[in-house]
Structure formats: C-alpha cells, structure tokens
Amino acid sequence: DAKTTQPPSMDCAEGRAANLPCNHSTISGNEYVYWYRQIHSQGPQYIIHGLKNNETNEMASLIITEDRKSSTLILPHATLRDTAVYYCIVRGINTNAGKSTFGDGTTLTVKP
Amino acid sequence: DAEITQSPRHKITETGRQVTLACHQTWNHNNMFWYRQDLGHGLRLIHYSYGVQDTNKGEVSDGYSVSRSNTEDLPLTLESAASSQTSVYFCASSGTGNQPQHFGDGTRLSIL
C-alpha cells in the first residue's frame, strides 16, 4: 500500500498561493491521490482527488507529476480560514478502498 | 441533506468496561470506516466494511470490533476499555469507485 510523505509544517501569507507538496513514490496504477484538511479537531474535510490528470475545483487545484510519484495541492488565494492540517493520502477503489494511510499531514499556517 | 453522524460526541468511562460508539450515515454508502486520532497525530484505520456482513481489520484493530447488520450503521465496540484507547474516534463512509470519504464530527473518548 502506497504511503505518502509531507513536510510537517508550512507558512503562507494571506492572499498568496499555498503550494503543499506530497510524495507518493510507491503509488500503483489504480490508486488515486486524495487531499483532505482538518481544522482544529473537526472531522477531515474532503478537498480534491485525482488519478493522473490535473484537477481543479472551487476549493483548490491538484497537480500530479507525469510519473505520478508526487503531487502538489494549490490553494490559489489563501485566507486565514485555510489554516489547518492538510493530509495527502493514496487510496485504491472498491475492494482496495480501505487500504489507505493518513500520515501526520502538513500544518499550514496562513499569516496576515 | 445526506449526512454521517456519530454518537456520543464525548464519553468518559473506566478501564475494563465495554464501550460502543455509534456511526450512522444516510448517504447509502457501501463503504464505512473507523479511525482513531491521538493528540498531534494523523488518523489510523481501525476497521472497515465494504457492505452488509462484511468487516475487515485495519492497522490498529486489537481491542476493537465492528459489525455491519445494515447499510447505514457501523458501531465500534471496545470490548474491555484500556487507557491506551483514550483518543478521538472518527467514522467515515464512501460510495463506490473513486468517491471520497465523508467524515463524521468525531467522538472524544476518555478512559480513566
């Protein structure tokens, strides 16, 4: 099962783009990359996911390298409310859906 | 709107007691998951289920059990609570394919 590596912490200025990296060098062909965030002690909130193409939604963009060994979550205009722990996980589908690991994530602090 | 609810939100109990945490989802999702999160760390998978009568062990399943008698519910039971099981417990569900997990708000369990 693929594991992920993320920096423990990052800072970002309010209004600037936040770029959060994730390494998943052992990802297999049918595994997706998912990003979640957790604010305080709330339940993790889904942000975005992708297989191999770049993805964008109203919250963020996901850039996956061509070899799929790493990805970057981009919050285009970070606000103070984006301060949270961000988790990158790799997960298969259907019968492999349970085999995912949440690491310790990246604590993003957005500063005024 | 569909949702996933956990109860109780907070519980204090004594070592050796049996404890059951409830998880109920109205998404009609086949996949359900239980995680624990210790202070300052990421989520660790306890048990998961792909459908009625199906249960699987996660990475930290010792001392925990689950049963899946219907689609909506996956109760988590601590057979004989131990102080090491003091943690925040999150339930999640997901649909088929590559659909993301939806998390509950968590249960904060203290075992004295």
Side-chain angles (χ1 to χ4, degrees):
Chain A
D1 304 328
K3 301 269 192 265
T4 62
T5 304
Q6 300 177 253
S9 63
M10 293 181 64
D11 290 342
C12 177
E14 188 178 19
R16 304 296 294 269
N19 296 280
L20 292 89
C22 180
N23 213 305
H24 32 79
S25 57
T26 59
I27 192 171
S28 61
N30 63 351
E31 289 182 317
Y32 285 74
V33 180
Y34 294 80
W35 283 84
Y36 294 82
R37 72 181 183 184
Q38 187 175 29
I39 298 174
H40 297 302
S41 299
Q42 299 174 15
Q45 175 192 22
Y46 165 75
I47 302 173
I48 197 168
H49 73 284
L51 182 64
K52 56 182 178 180
N53 297 319
N54 298 339
E55 302 287 345
T56 296
N57 63 20
E58 65 278 5
M59 291 182 67
S61 294
L62 173 60
I63 308 297
I64 302 174
T65 58
E66 191 169 346
D67 62 8
R68 301 211 321 125
K69 293 184 177 181
S70 65
S71 62
T72 301
L73 178 74
I74 300 173
L75 307 178
H77 304 288
T79 70
L80 299 178
R81 288 180 295 180
D82 291 322
T83 292
V85 179
Y86 287 77
Y87 295 100
C88 164
I89 69 166
V90 175
R91 183 164 71 91
I93 62 174
N94 296 330
T95 56
N96 287 320
K99 298 178 181 178
S100 61
T101 300
F102 281 77
D104 288 342
T106 296
T107 298
L108 174 70
T109 302
V110 180
K111 298 184 175 181
Chain B
D1 288 343
E3 60 182 3
I4 180 166
T5 55
Q6 295 184 234
S7 61
R9 294 296 313 279
H10 303 271
K11 185 171 181 64
I12 300 173
T13 191
E14 297 175 344
T15 56
R17 291 189 179 269
Q18 184 180 80
V19 179
T20 297
L21 308 183
C23 177
H24 179 81
Q25 53 99 1
T26 58
W27 295 90
N28 199 33
H29 285 161
N30 285 327
N31 304 331
M32 294 185 73
F33 311 83
W34 273 105
Y35 296 87
R36 62 175 285 176
Q37 184 175 34
D38 300 324
L39 190 63
H41 292 282
L43 285 75
R44 290 186 291 170
L45 185 63
I46 306 172
H47 282 286
Y48 56 102
S49 167
Y50 292 134
V52 176
Q53 302 301 331
D54 176 76
T55 61
N56 305 279
K57 294 181 178 180
E59 58 181 313
V60 290
S61 60
D62 287 349
Y64 303 94
S65 64
V66 294
S67 62
R68 188 86 180 272
S69 59
N70 59 50
T71 300
E72 296 79 18
D73 299 288
L74 186 70
L76 176 71
T77 298
L78 287 68
E79 303 294 344
S80 177
S83 58
S84 60
Q85 294 176 308
T86 291
S87 189
V88 180
Y89 291 84
F90 289 101
C91 179
S93 70
S94 70
T96 56
N98 63 5
Q99 293 184 37
Q101 296 179 5
H102 297 264
F103 285 83
D105 291 330
T107 294
R108 187 174 299 274
L109 178 63
S110 297
I111 301 168
L112 307 177

